[in-house]
RNA sequence: GGUCCUGUGGCCGAGCGGUUAGGCAGAGCUCUGCAAAAGCUCCUACAGCGGUUCAAAUCCGCUCGGGACCUCCA
């Protein structure tokens, strides 16, 4: 669509024109959640950012295969490749089977994504469903000489790999620098090198989630699942790999090393990283204990929240910040978004009621182009939103007969507003269902009729009482030139 | 200690060499019985100090803040 899509590639640290491997198609892999606890809002931001990217690629007409995994195995608590995996630990805590933990939090994750109106990915593979692929990949890496086995655990040999490839390329660091920042190996460590990481981890007698491998019973290391599943579904080299910025230095660095060591090819053309959500300037994270659960945000049931915010208000809040900038949470900012979102949606509702004229006072084609320019510039949603507000302004002005619009321009404006707001930004109307209730509609008609009579008699005390009483039930009455309207606030 | 990012009006947040970003809040006006909504107008900022340039929020240097990663985290 008008001009080309560019995106910021972490590999080159610059914006690049997006050229897919296969014309008209796009393969995208995004690191999904580890389902051992509830997703917090910070996690959601990443997935909502990539939902925007997915939606825009679809809007541009790309045939997109979007793969987002579910990590449901392995993933140790520390960096020492020992102890329980996160699922076993949580299972013991909640007295459930590990797979019950997985099921519980996977369902919770899907519920939250649905609330945020995030499209489901094309494929959502699980680590436990791809143990064979991971074992095969590890075997290949060992065969190629980049990994070694010690007592049932397989380690990736980072220093050997670095002799031929650049291990720190994603974060622009040299191996010597990385080694300096790592602690010395303790006496009990069996790894050869300080930076070596586990591909496969030996099971202990009490380990609950384990599989039989050529190296005995064990479970996969965290990084190998993404390498195995991305190459299975998208090929040895694919277009876009995304994830949160916190995964860049370790997880994605190791993914590149694994895939390169296995397939002798760079796995990804464009690496995209989304920035963190912060609270009072500090990153929201599970370990910092400053995260909210989406449910707490919707209900307002949290010490930091003054009130509840609807999923769409929150989504809109996120869309007003670029995905590579940190987004700082605050009640004030969220309330501003809530109002701005309502303003935008109200304008869209007016689109169907506008009267057309022989001339247009605004350049709609130009505005539409600006929307594309914003999104083509590394998915700049905040600028898109600014342009959509310009659209809202035009709609309101035409509605007030302060400006005019031709039928053709109105059709363009309408399709532009709808496709960008609903399809690309992924917003949806939060109109209460009760508004469609025929009984309620009837009652409102009767009430408004009574009020109309009162107003005609200049009995404003009576008409105001009706309006104020209805307000208690969050029903808003507006007297406009063309008559009375009513709506229910969520 | 190392690798980076960042500091924009009351708040959030784009811009990254020459234009009013935008939203919210605030003030005034128009419309209205009033209210709400909407429109118009106003509030015109870029941490500090130097430098480059015809021109800097935007590039360079220094100073002072804030943050991330280097250890599990989206």
């Amino acid at each position: 669509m008008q001009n080309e899509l560019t995106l910021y590639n972490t590999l080159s640290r610059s914006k690049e024109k997006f050229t897919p491997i296969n014309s008209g198609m796009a393969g995208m892999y995004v690191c999904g959640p580890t389902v051992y606890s509830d997703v917090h809002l910070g996690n959601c931001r990443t997935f909502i950012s990539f939902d925007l990217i997915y939606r825009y690629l679809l809007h541009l007409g790309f045939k997109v295969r979007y793969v987002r995994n579910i990590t449901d195995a392995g993933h140790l608590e520390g960096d020492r490749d020992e102890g329980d995996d996160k699922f076993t630990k949580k299972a013991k805590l909640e007295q459930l089977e590990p797979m019950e933990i997985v099921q519980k939090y996977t369902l919770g994750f899907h519920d939250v994504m649905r609330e945020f109106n995030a499209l489901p990915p094309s494929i959502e593979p699980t680590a436990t469903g791809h143990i064979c692929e991971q074992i095969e990949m590890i075997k290949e890496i060992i065969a190629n000489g980049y990994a070694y086995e010690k007592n049932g655990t397989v380690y990736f040999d980072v220093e050997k790999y670095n002799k031929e490839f650049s291990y720190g390329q994603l974060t622009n660091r040299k191996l010597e620098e990385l080694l300096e920042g790592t602690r010395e190996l303790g006496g009990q460590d069996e790894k050869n090198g300080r930076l070596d990481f586990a591909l496969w981890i030996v099971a202990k007698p009490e380990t609950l989630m384990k599989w039989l491998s050529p190296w005995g019973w064990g479970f996969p290391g965290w990084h190998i699942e993404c390498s195995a599943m991305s190459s299975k579904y998208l090929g040895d080299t694919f277009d876009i790999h995304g994830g949160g910025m916190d995964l860049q230095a370790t997880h994605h660095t190791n993914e590149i090393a694994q895939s390169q060591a296995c397939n002798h090819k760079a796995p990804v053309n464009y690496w995209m990283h989304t920035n963190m959500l912060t609270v009072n300037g500090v990153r929201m994270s599970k370990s910092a204990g400053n995260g909210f659960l989406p449910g707490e945000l919707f209900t307002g049931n949290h010490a930091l929240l003054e009130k509840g915010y609807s999923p769409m208000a929150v989504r809109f809040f996120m869309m007003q910040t670029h995905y590579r900038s940190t987004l700082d949470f605050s009640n004030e900012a969220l309330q501003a978004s809530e109002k701005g979102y309502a303003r935008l949606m109200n304008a869209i509702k007016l689109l169907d009621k506008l009267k057309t004229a022989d001339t247009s006072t605004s350049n709609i084609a130009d505005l539409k182009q600006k929307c594309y320019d914003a999104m083509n510039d590394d998915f700049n949603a905040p600028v898109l939103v600014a342009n959509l507000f310009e659209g809202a302004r035009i709609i309101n002005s035409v509605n007030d007969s302060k400006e005019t619009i031709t039928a053709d321009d109105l059709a363009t404006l309408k399709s532009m507003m709808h496709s960008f707001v609903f399809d690309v930004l992924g917003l949806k109307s939060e109109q209460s269902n009760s508004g469609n209730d025929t009984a309620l509609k009837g009652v409102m008609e009767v009430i408004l009729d009574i009020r109309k009579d009162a107003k005609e008699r200049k009995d404003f005390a009576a008409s105001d009482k009706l309006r104020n009483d209805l307000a208690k039930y969050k029903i808003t009455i507006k007297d406009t030139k063309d008559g009375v309207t009513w709506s229910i606030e969520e």
Side-chain angles (χ1 to χ4, degrees):
Chain A
M1 196 73 54
Q2 295 91 345
N3 293 327
E4 293 162 330
L5 174 63
T6 58
L7 48 81
Y8 184 87
N9 190 347
T10 308
L11 270 180
S12 64
R13 294 170 174 272
S14 60
K15 284 181 195 170
E16 297 177 13
K17 179 189 160 197
F18 177 60
T19 310
I21 294 166
N22 300 305
S23 177
M25 320 253 252
M28 177 164 81
Y29 186 94
V30 172
C31 292
T34 303
V35 286
Y36 70 102
S37 67
D38 292 307
V39 278
H40 66 249
L41 196 64
N43 299 310
C44 295
R45 162 111 113 151
T46 295
F47 303 127
I48 290 171
S49 295
F50 282 104
D51 186 56
L52 170 78
I53 289 165
Y54 178 41
R55 284 169 174 276
Y56 189 59
L57 290 171
L58 290 174
H59 177 76
L60 289 181
F62 283 102
K63 187 165 187 252
V64 188
R65 180 177 287 174
Y66 172 26
V67 183
R68 186 183 64 205
N69 69 299
I70 294 277
T71 296
D72 62 348
H75 220 158
L76 297 173
E77 290 280 314
D79 65 329
R80 313 222 66 181
D81 302 324
E82 60 190 34
D84 281 341
D85 63 83
K86 288 181 171 171
F87 304 94
T88 298
K89 199 168 176 179
K90 188 77 178 209
K92 286 176 182 168
L93 208 64
E94 296 195 13
Q95 297 192 310
L96 294 169
E97 273 291 316
M99 284 312 279
E100 283 181 292
I101 296 293
V102 166
Q103 179 74 357
K104 176 179 168 183
Y105 293 111
T106 300
L107 290 175
F109 172 65
H110 286 157
D111 285 345
V112 168
M113 285 297 106
R114 203 175 307 118
E115 292 228 61
F116 279 125
N117 201 216
L119 297 171
S122 330
I123 303 176
E124 194 166 42
T126 61
T128 55
H130 298 77
I131 298 294
C132 294
E133 287 85 349
Q134 295 177 72
I135 289 173
E136 285 308 310
M137 191 161 191
I138 295 168
K139 278 160 73 177
E140 188 69 24
I141 295 171
I142 293 174
N144 290 343
Y146 297 102
Y148 55 92
E149 187 246 324
K150 284 265 180 86
N151 306 317
T153 294
V154 180
Y155 294 99
F156 189 91
D157 190 336
V158 171
E159 285 178 60
K160 167 149 193 212
Y161 172 82
N162 194 251
K163 283 179 186 147
E164 292 154 72
F165 306 98
S166 170
Y167 177 71
Q169 59 169 319
L170 242 200
T171 44
N172 197 24
R173 290 145 99 187
K174 294 186 172 62
L175 194 72
E176 303 78 63
E177 290 165 356
L178 287 166
L179 282 165
E180 275 173 33
T182 317
R183 76 167 85 77
E184 293 285 345
L185 288 174
Q188 73 276 44
D189 273 295
E190 57 187 15
K191 294 193 282 195
N192 289 348
R194 272 187 266 175
L195 291 170
D196 294 356
F197 57 91
L199 299 174
W200 185 264
I201 299 160
V202 66
K204 290 192 287 191
E206 66 272 24
T207 301
L208 297 174
M209 294 179 91
K210 57 190 169 189
W211 292 265
L212 193 56
S213 77
W215 317 284
W217 286 91
F219 55 94
W222 175 38
H223 315 296
I224 194 72
E225 63 172 274
C226 288
S227 292
M229 297 191 287
S230 61
S231 63
K232 170 162 180 165
Y233 296 112
L234 297 170
D236 291 346
T237 300
F238 55 94
D239 298 307
I240 299 170
H241 188 131
M245 270 181 187
D246 50 350
L247 300 183
Q248 187 178 325
T250 306
H251 184 56
H252 293 161
T253 290
N254 290 345
E255 268 189 62
I256 293 174
Q258 290 165 341
S259 296
Q260 188 83 252
C262 180
N263 304 317
H264 312 286
K265 284 178 200 166
V268 175
N269 288 148
Y270 303 92
W271 281 92
M272 297 184 75
H273 290 97
T274 58
N275 217 133
M276 303 290 106
L277 183 66
T278 61
V279 182
N280 298 322
V282 180
R283 175 185 168 189
M284 183 182 280
S285 72
K286 282 173 190 170
S287 47
N290 62 350
F292 330 111
L293 268 26
E296 291 169 337
L297 187 66
F298 302 153
T299 59
N301 184 23
H302 190 280
L304 283 166
L305 298 165
E306 285 168 12
K307 61 189 278 296
Y309 303 93
S310 74
M312 285 305 107
V314 176
R315 184 170 173 120
F316 186 66
F317 168 63
M318 294 182 180
M319 292 299 156
Q320 285 181 285
T321 305
H322 189 89
Y323 76 89
R324 281 191 290 115
S325 298
T326 54
L327 171 59
D328 196 56
F329 167 88
S330 74
N331 281 284
E332 211 176 350
L334 228 26
Q335 278 161 30
S337 292
E338 198 172 49
K339 291 187 181 172
Y341 167 69
R343 191 168 120 84
L344 195 58
M345 296 311 279
N346 283 333
I348 287 172
K349 275 185 222 156
L350 286 175
L351 273 168
D352 289 323
K353 299 178 185 163
L354 296 186
K355 293 182 181 74
T356 57
D358 294 335
T359 55
S360 289
T361 44
S362 299
N363 189 338
I364 304 299
D366 183 56
L367 184 63
K368 183 179 173 184
Q369 185 58 50
K370 281 180 180 165
C371 290
Y372 280 102
D373 289 346
M375 287 304 287
N376 284 336
D377 182 19
D378 194 27
F379 307 95
N380 198 330
V383 171
L384 170 64
V385 169
N387 285 311
L388 294 174
F389 273 114
E390 172 63 14
R393 210 214 86 239
I394 293 168
I395 293 167
N396 287 326
S397 289
V398 172
N399 186 238
D400 279 5
S401 305
K402 300 239 170 69
E403 290 195 34
T404 59
I405 192 164
T406 64
D408 280 356
D409 275 351
L410 179 59
T412 303
L413 182 63
K414 198 170 167 180
S415 79
M416 178 197 108
M417 294 299 286
H418 278 264
S419 56
F420 278 106
V421 172
F422 300 123
D423 301 343
V424 175
L425 292 178
L427 299 168
K428 62 179 180 186
S429 172
E430 289 186 316
Q431 279 283 301
S432 160
N433 288 333
S434 51
N436 298 324
D437 187 310
T438 47
L440 180 67
K441 275 187 178 167
V443 170
M444 284 306 297
E445 220 167 279
V446 171
I447 291 173
L448 291 180
D449 217 42
I450 293 169
R451 185 162 170 276
K452 194 179 164 199
D453 286 346
K455 282 180 70 174
E456 276 166 7
R457 278 183 276 112
K458 305 265 185 209
D459 184 359
F460 297 124
S463 72
D464 287 355
K465 184 178 186 323
L466 283 171
R467 184 170 65 198
N468 295 336
D469 287 353
L470 285 169
K472 289 174 194 161
Y473 298 97
K474 304 237 178 185
I475 296 173
T476 309
I477 305 268
K478 290 180 198 167
D479 296 310
T480 69
K481 275 178 294 188
D482 308 320
V484 184
T485 65
W486 64 279
S487 58
I488 302 177
E489 197 190 314
E490 284 276 303

